[in-house]
Amino acid sequence: TRHGETMFNRQHRIQGWCDSPLTEHGRDQAREMGAILRERDVNPDAAFCSTAERAGDTLELLLGALNPAQHLSYTRLKGLREMFYGDLEAQQDFLAENDPEACRTYYLQFGGESSDAVRDRMVATLTEIMRAPGHDCVLAVGHGGANFNFLRAVTDPMPILNAGWG
């Protein structure tokens, strides 16, 4: 899943490896996701998030709503980080590239990552997580761009993107 809404999301800023805190709405989103997973009887045996504070905060709130008595520990992994946008980090999002095909190399000119590098990083990280013994049901909190690039490795992400990538 993706982290909840942040201050930078609300300010329409590019947010990759830089961080900003969850808004109250973002905290509510995290708790709501935990409640939805509880209603669906999802019981993760392992939990992971990126090293960004927004992802860790989201995971903690989600887990608290999912099962307040469980106190499932989690691991932060750099491999789940958002795409690095280079010099465009924290800048206004009108500078971002929104076309997925053009985005593949767009951020390299600013010292950022290619979307193929993010895809490969996410595939490697999530494959390693899922291959670990006892990881039958795993919860991972990441980021919109990184999650999109993982999805692109396993299916055509455009129908999901066009339906409203939240």
Side-chain angles (χ1 to χ4, degrees), residues 113-132:
E113 285 183 288
S114 73
S115 59
D116 288 347
V118 177
R119 178 201 61 208
D120 295 347
R121 169 169 52 84
M122 289 291 290
V123 167
T125 300
L126 290 168
T127 299
E128 182 178 342
I129 287 170
M130 292 307 299
R131 284 189 174 159

Side-chain angles (χ1 to χ4, degrees), residues 52-75:
E53 182 178 349
R54 62 192 186 266
D57 290 350
T58 296
L59 181 57
E60 289 173 7
L61 291 165
L62 188 161
L63 290 173
L66 173 62
N67 188 344
Q70 186 178 13
H71 302 298
L72 181 67
S73 64
Y74 64 92
T75 303

